[in-house]
């Protein structure tokens, strides 16, 4: 799938399991323009506040959550931070949502 090399790249950089790439399928069905009723957007369904915490620009002019590269790095950094906090992938998945 066209986004998997991007996912693998960032997961490798942050030394996370490659299986985490499948989370994007669950979150967005691999639609980089996906938006939820709750305000999440992009491949990784990041909320605006979370996206901004990880350095993404989200405002009236630009929404970097829709950028496959920028949003993937932000999501992977979030997953790495959650794992550092919880040390349990099941808890990470719950916390991600």
């Amino acid at each position: 799938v066209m986004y998997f090399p991007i996912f693998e790249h960032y997961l490798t950089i942050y030394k996370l399991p490659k299986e985490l790439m499948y989370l994007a399928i669950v979150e967005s069905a691999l639609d980089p323009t996906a938006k939820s009723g709750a305000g999440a957007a992009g491949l990784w369904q990041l909320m605006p506040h979370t996206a901004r915490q990880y350095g993404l620009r989200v405002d009236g002019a630009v929404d970097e959550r829709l950028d496959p590269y920028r949003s993937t790095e932000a999501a992977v950094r979030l997953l790495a931070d959650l794992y550092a906090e919880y040390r349990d992938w099941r808890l990470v998945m719950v916390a991600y949502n």
Side-chain angles (χ1 to χ4, degrees):
V1 175
M2 70 187 273
Y3 297 111
F4 282 7
I6 298 168
F7 301 164
E8 288 177 354
H9 172 75
Y10 287 106
L11 289 166
T12 299
I13 287 173
Y14 289 91
K15 297 179 173 71
L16 297 182
K18 292 213 170 53
E19 293 82 3
L20 290 172
M21 76 174 72
Y22 299 109
L23 180 58
I25 296 172
V26 174
E27 292 291 334
S28 68
L30 297 179
D31 177 358
T33 65
K35 294 186 179 178
S36 77
L43 288 167
W44 298 92
Q45 290 295 287
L46 296 169
M47 294 297 285
H49 176 74
T50 304
R52 288 185 195 103
Q53 281 184 300
Y54 285 89
L56 299 186
R57 182 174 168 194
V58 180
D59 58 39
V62 176
D63 189 344
E64 290 185 323
R65 296 175 301 166
L66 307 180
D67 179 305
Y69 294 90
R70 299 276 295 139
S71 66
T72 297
E73 183 169 20
V76 169
R77 287 178 53 215
L78 170 58
L79 289 164
D81 287 349
L82 290 171
Y83 186 74
E85 182 175 350
Y86 296 111
R87 293 285 179 203
D88 181 314
W89 286 112
R90 291 170 293 181
L91 293 176
V92 169
M93 294 296 104
V94 171
Y96 188 89
N97 279 326

